[in-house]
Structure formats: structure tokens, C-alpha cells
Amino acid sequence: MSELLVINEEAVRQALPLGELAETLTAALIALAAGTTSVPARIASHSGAGLLAAMPGYVPGLGIGAKVVSVYPANPQVGLPAHQALIAVFDEATGVPTAVMDGTYITAIRTAMTTALAARALAGRRDRSLAVIGAGVQGEAHLRSFSYLLAPSDIRVVSRRASTAAALAALYPGARATSSLREALLGTDMVCCCTDARDAVVESEWIVPGMFVSSVGSGAELPPDLLDRGRVFVESRSATLPPPAGAIELQGRDPSSLVEIGAVLAGREPGVDGDEDIAIYKSTGHAVEDLAAASVVVRRARDMGIGVSVTM
């Protein structure tokens, strides 16, 4: 019989400091770009209301495991997260299951912290002002991650509902809600699209050379002409695969035209000219990010004596 550590969301939050998360994500992304990981394309089963996706993976030194995540877009209307997940971790040498944990918080914070790492690598000196489009789970996670990693002094938040944007902005010093997308983007250095919109949420002409733009939504948040103007960075070139493995915006694009952010973090690929280029980071979410976060959680949970041990 084996012992399985069960870690709920509260314990996950306690065991996942942002600094260690950023360091481990960096290592995982570098390994992904170097080709030393084993990660098949994401698959999903669809119901009438949403989908359930499976994301297994292996990162040497960080472990082997899998996340199962449900995506039900209408859930916020009944007070539930649109994304809910569990992560299972197995022993790298024997395949014995060692831990299972809440993956909902991990999904949010690892996505946002990876975006912040990309911004730090690509925005250069122009990282003082930030516009966040969307005030939901990802909007909040991006504000938390960017505030920790980059500490922008000027933060604008815009959402479909002004009250939601105002409530989120009130949580962060230097943040303010704006009444329009155009106002939020005017003169800013970094733009993070964190919405569930099916269509583009920004206009290409609003984005000028020197800006960093990110998108984490599953819809087509970025217009095609903007992607044509900028240099596009991704977690993996598999982002050009059909959904659910890839991104809607990147369908039909040449994978070789995309730059894996891990190669930039490793210094093997250049970033951008901060004054001349537009840096675009399109996230599809990746299993190596979940494994990176889970490895920190398991190690620290054991050290802290939190979680519940179950005999299998």
C-alpha cells in the first residue's frame, strides 16, 4: 500500500509562494523549449455545457503527473469558477501515485505568473504601466503576479462591468478602474487580455511599437492584423495545433514563426527591440506549468505538515 497526500485549495495556497513558483516555472519552460520534456497534446471530452480536458506531462527533476480540468463558461453566472481542476502527481521512478491536489488555484496563478515572466523578459525597460482587460479570476491573478514580479506603478483595470473593475482595482495600490478599453490602453507599456470573449477585445491600431501584449483567453482575443505586426511568443509551438491543444488565433500560422518563451528565458533566442517591436505572448496553458507548481506544493506541504495522508 502507498500513502497519497491530498492537498486542498487552502493548503495549496499556503504551499505555493510566488517567488518559488516563478523560479520553478522558469526551469520548466526552459526544459520545454529544450525538448527534454514529454508532454502529449491536450485532449478533451465535450458535454453540452463545457469540456473536460486531460493534460499529462513529465519534466525531468520536477516530476510526472496529469491535470484534469473542466471548462464550463456559464459557471460564473451561478457563482462557480469557469475552470476547475485536479492535479495528480506520481513518483518519477516507480509510477506510484504520491499526491492529488486542487488545481483550480494553480491553473489561475501559474498562467498569470508565466505571463509575468514573459513580460519581464520581453518588455525591457518599458514595464512601469499595466492595463488588465478583464476583472475575473485571471484578471486578479495577473494583477497579483505582475505586482509581485514587476511592481508596475500605474495599473489600469477595465471590464464589461465597471463595478467589477473598480472592486479589483481597489485591492492593489496604484490601480484604477477605467471607463473604456481605449482609455485603459492609452500610453501603457503592457496589456494583458484576461477575458472569455469570443472575438478580439483590442484594436490593432491601439497597440504601438514597444508595447507588450498578452492573451490567455480561449477565444480569439487578439485580431489577426495585430499578430501580423508583432513578434509572437508562446509556451510551445504546439499552440498552432487545433483546439483544445492550440490557440484559435494561431490556426494556420507557421509554427517556425513563433518563438518559445523558454528559449528566450534561457538566452538562446532574442526577445524584441523594446522601441521598435511589438511583443505578443499568446498563452494556451501547458502541462509543464502545472507540474512546476505541483512540485513546489508537494515539497512544501510535506515540509509544513499540511494536507491529509490517505492509504491507498
Side-chain angles (χ1 to χ4, degrees), residues 122-123 126 188-191 202-214 222-223 225-233 257 259 271-281:
L122 300 172
R126 299 189 62 178
T188 195
D189 300 324
M190 302 176 292
V191 179
V202 297
E203 299 288 344
S204 180
E205 58 265 28
W206 297 347
I207 308 301
V208 299
M211 290 176 71
F212 168 86
V213 183
S214 67
L222 303 178
D225 54 339
L226 175 59
L227 293 167
D228 292 337
R229 292 174 55 211
R231 192 165 191 223
V232 181
F233 299 82
S257 69
V259 182
V272 294
D273 185 324
D275 296 323
E276 298 298 329
D277 292 333
I278 297 171
I280 299 171
Y281 170 67

Side-chain angles (χ1 to χ4, degrees), residues 97-299:
T98 57
V100 63
M101 70 192 72
D102 173 82
T104 303
Y105 172 71
I106 285 176
T107 298
I109 198 65
R110 60 77 153 155
T111 302
M113 184 58 76
T114 301
T115 304
L117 287 168
R120 187 172 67 175
L122 300 172
R125 295 186 301 274
R126 299 189 62 178
D127 60 2
R128 296 300 89 194
S129 58
L130 168 68
V132 175
I133 303 172
V137 171
Q138 274 301 330
E140 194 280 329
H142 275 67
L143 274 179
R144 184 183 309 177
S145 298
F146 274 71
S147 295
Y148 176 84
L149 205 62
L150 295 169
S153 55
D154 176 17
I155 301 172
R156 304 97 178 265
V157 182
V158 62
S159 180
R160 284 175 296 201
R161 290 188 292 173
S163 60
T164 306
L168 178 56
L171 299 177
Y172 291 87
R176 57 186 171 90
T178 63
S179 59
S180 71
L181 282 166
R182 188 69 187 95
E183 180 187 352
L185 270 60
L186 186 63
T188 195
D189 300 324
M190 302 176 292
V191 179
C192 294
C193 302
C194 306
T195 77
D196 60 359
R198 298 297 91 190
D199 301 312
V201 296
V202 297
E203 299 288 344
S204 180
E205 58 265 28
W206 297 347
I207 308 301
V208 299
M211 290 176 71
F212 168 86
V213 183
S214 67
S215 167
V216 299
S218 58
E221 289 184 304
L222 303 178
D225 54 339
L226 175 59
L227 293 167
D228 292 337
R229 292 174 55 211
R231 192 165 191 223
V232 181
F233 299 82
V234 292
E235 293 126 322
S236 166
R237 290 191 177 98
S238 64
T240 58
L241 293 173
I248 292 175
E249 295 105 318
L250 302 181
Q251 298 304 291
R253 291 188 176 265
D254 181 357
S256 67
S257 69
L258 310 178
V259 182
E260 294 184 333
I261 192 64
V264 178
L265 296 174
R268 297 198 309 272
E269 286 278 355
V272 294
D273 185 324
D275 296 323
E276 298 298 329
D277 292 333
I278 297 171
I280 299 171
Y281 170 67
K282 177 59 195 180
S283 168
T284 53
H286 203 280
V288 302
E289 298 163 8
D290 300 312
L291 291 170
S295 71
V296 175
V297 170
V298 170
R299 175 174 50 79

Side-chain angles (χ1 to χ4, degrees), residues 41-47 50-55 69 71 243-245:
R42 177 167 45 210
I43 59 172
S45 295
H46 296 262
S47 72
L51 63 83
L52 180 68
M55 301 170 63
V69 54
V71 183

